[in-house]
Amino acid sequence: HGARFACPCPTMLSSAASLVRSAPARSAILPAIASRFSTSASASTKARRVTLIPGDGIGEEISQSVVDVFAAAQAPIEWEVTPLSTKMAVPGQSLLTDEVKESVLRNRVGLKGPLATPIGKGHKSLNLTLRKEFGLFANVRPCLSIPGLKTRWDDVDVVVIRENTEGEYCGIEHEVVPGIQQSIKVITAEASLRVAHHAFQHAVAQGRKKVTAVHKANIMRMSDGLFVRCCREAATRYPDIKFEEQTVDNTALMLMKNPNLLDVMVLPNLYGDIISDLCAGLIGGLGLTPSGNIGRKHSIFEAVHGSAPDIAGQDKANPTALLLSAVMMLRHLKMYKHADMIDNAILAVIADGKHTTGDIGGPAGTKEYTGAIIDHIRSNNA
C-alpha cells in the first residue's frame, strides 16, 4: 500500500538542512537541542519549522530521541520547542497556553509527546483541547506489522480513521439528580461527512481497496444511524473503493479472528479510540504505533501511549511510537527521502533485536536504542 504511515494532505512544503530552534519557553525543556544540533542550511533551501511539544513524563526523553535521529538524517525540519504540561495548570485558566496556540497557528504542523490528563480533577483533556482548538477532525492511526517483532499476526495492515471532535467526547455532562449522571453524545452530519470523505480520500491515495464504516446503529438508531448514512453518501463519490458497514462489536471480533478482513475503517470518536488501541495490540502495542491528527489547515502528530511517569528519567522509554509519528509527519510534508531513511533504520534496529528497549524484549535503554538507529542512518547513507 505504498509508503509506510503515509498521510495524504495538501500542505506548504520546503526543504533544508536540519535546524533546531526553541520558542520562548517557561521551562528548560530539551536544553541541549539548539547547541548540539544546529547545522548550516544549504544556500538554496530553507527549513520547514514544526512545533515540538515534548509533553509530560517520558516526553522529554523520547522527544530528544526524535531530534537526535532527525539531525543524523539531516531531515529538513526546524524544531520550535513549546512546553505544554498539566504541571503548568493554573486554577481557572485553560491548560492550553497562548504560546502553544500561536506556535501551532504559525507553523501549521506539530509533533507532540504524551500529555497526562488529571482524572477527576476538573480539567479537560489537553489532547481533546488541542483537537478542538485546531480543528483536527480526523485521527489517522495506521497499524502495520513490524518485521522481526513476533506477534500473533505478522501481516497486519489496517488503518483506523477516527472522527476526532464530537461523539461521546464532546464533554457535555451533568448531574440529573444525585446518583444519576448524564453524558450527551453528539453526532452531526457535517463532522460525519468530513471524516467519511477523508477516509475514502486516504484509501484512494494509498491504493487501498475498502472502507468499512463502524457503528452501533442497530441500537443508537438516530446518532449512529446519521453517521452511517453520511458514510453511505460519501461512498457514492468513490465508486472504485468497496464500502461496507459493520457494528463495532463485530469489528472487534473480526480483528481478533483475522485482521486481513479489514482495510480502512472509519469510526465515530469513542469506537475509534477503542478499536485503534485494539489494532495497536495486534502489532505489539501503543509503543510501536504512530498517529496523526489531521485538520484542514493544521496537523499534529503524536505518540498515543501514556506519559509513563513511573519510568521517566530512567532511560527505559521506547521512543518508537513518536519516531514513527514523526516519520508520518515527514510523509505528510512530502519529505519522502528522509521519511524512508528514518523508517528503514528503525525497522532494521528492531529486526536485529540487539539494541531494542525492554518493553519489546530487548536489553537496551532509550539512548542505546536511539544511538543504534543513528548508526544505521549514518552507515547506510554516507
Side-chain angles (χ1 to χ4, degrees):
H1 297 303
R4 288 169 54 91
F5 313 138
C7 189
C9 186
T11 184
M12 296 177 64
L13 306 176
S14 64
S15 61
S18 177
L19 298 175
V20 182
R21 170 181 176 137
S22 230
R26 282 169 287 180
S27 63
I29 294 192
L30 306 187
I33 291 179
S35 60
R36 289 177 58 197
F37 297 115
S38 291
T39 59
S40 58
S42 60
S44 61
T45 58
K46 182 180 179 181
R48 175 61 192 258
R49 187 178 298 171
V50 170
T51 300
L52 176 61
I53 303 172
D56 292 312
I58 61 172
E60 288 193 28
E61 297 164 73
I62 62 176
S63 295
Q64 185 70 59
S65 292
V66 172
V67 170
D68 292 357
V69 168
F70 270 49
Q74 296 187 340
I77 297 297
E78 177 184 334
W79 300 109
E80 184 171 284
V81 183
T82 309
L84 180 64
S85 170
T86 53
K87 296 177 182 177
M88 300 163 59
V90 177
Q93 295 184 15
S94 171
L95 290 172
L96 184 58
T97 65
D98 289 341
E99 181 184 335
V100 173
K101 286 191 279 189
E102 290 168 5
S103 179
V104 176
L105 287 171
R106 180 169 56 247
N107 298 329
R108 296 196 172 193
V109 177
L111 181 70
K112 182 183 73 63
L115 290 171
T117 299
I119 298 175
K121 298 288 183 65
H123 291 292
K124 289 185 178 180
S125 162
L126 271 173
N127 294 311
L128 291 176
T129 302
L130 284 167
R131 293 165 195 163
K132 290 186 177 182
E133 179 72 27
F134 300 110
L136 309 177
F137 64 86
N139 176 252
V140 180
R141 191 94 70 87
C143 288
L144 183 61
S145 292
I146 296 177
L149 189 66
K150 184 61 179 174
T151 58
R152 179 177 179 183
W153 300 96
D154 58 10
D155 55 354
V156 177
D157 186 4
V158 297
V159 179
V160 177
I161 297 181
R162 161 190 171 190
E163 202 293 314
N164 230 2
T165 64
E166 55 181 27
E168 292 87 348
Y169 290 7
C170 285
I172 305 174
E173 295 184 303
H174 63 275
E175 183 177 64
V176 181
V177 295
I180 300 178
Q181 309 293 326
Q182 185 175 60
S183 178
I184 297 175
K185 171 177 178 173
V186 177
I187 299 288
T188 66
E190 179 183 7
S192 298
L193 280 168
R194 185 172 56 187
V195 76
H197 279 295
H198 188 84
F200 280 99
Q201 290 163 7
H202 186 97
V204 170
Q206 297 303 309
R208 292 182 175 267
K209 306 299 182 185
K210 182 172 68 173
V211 170
T212 302
V214 180
H215 63 91
K216 198 62 177 172
N218 55 327
I219 303 298
M220 285 169 276
R221 299 180 183 276
M222 296 185 69
S223 56
D224 282 23
L226 174 59
F227 179 82
V228 171
R229 291 194 300 275
C230 290
C231 290
R232 290 172 185 165
E233 179 181 334
T236 63
R237 301 270 300 273
Y238 307 89
D240 295 333
I241 303 296
K242 182 180 178 181
F243 174 66
E244 68 177 18
E245 303 163 13
Q246 292 286 350
T247 60
V248 63
D249 43 331
N250 192 46
T251 300
L253 178 63
M254 292 169 65
L255 284 166
M256 295 307 297
K257 290 181 67 177
N258 183 2
N260 293 317
L261 296 173
L262 292 150
D263 192 352
V264 176
M265 290 166 275
V266 59
L267 313 88
N269 208 338
L270 175 63
Y271 309 151
D273 192 3
I274 296 168
I275 292 296
S276 59
D277 280 11
L278 189 157
C279 290
L282 296 175
I283 65 166
L286 291 174
L288 302 168
T289 307
S291 176
N293 298 291
I294 310 301
R296 297 201 185 282
K297 294 182 178 180
H298 306 91
S299 299
I300 296 179
F301 298 82
E302 63 180 348
V304 293
H305 55 68
S307 58
D310 55 317
I311 62 168
Q314 299 179 37
D315 194 38
K316 294 181 179 179
N318 183 352
T320 302
L322 192 61
L323 281 164
L324 292 178
S325 297
V327 167
M328 192 175 173
M329 180 193 76
L330 287 175
R331 293 201 171 107
H332 172 78
L333 296 171
K334 295 183 169 52
M335 298 176 181
Y336 304 117
K337 174 186 174 183
H338 295 90
D340 291 344
M341 184 190 307
I342 296 169
D343 194 20
N344 291 337
I346 295 167
L347 294 179
V349 172
I350 292 176
D352 177 64
K354 295 177 182 178
H355 303 283
T356 52
T357 51
D359 60 309
I360 53 175
T366 311
K367 293 177 182 177
E368 181 181 334
Y369 174 61
T370 303
I373 294 170
I374 291 171
D375 288 346
H376 186 279
I377 289 171
R378 288 174 174 164
S379 63
N380 287 273
N381 298 278

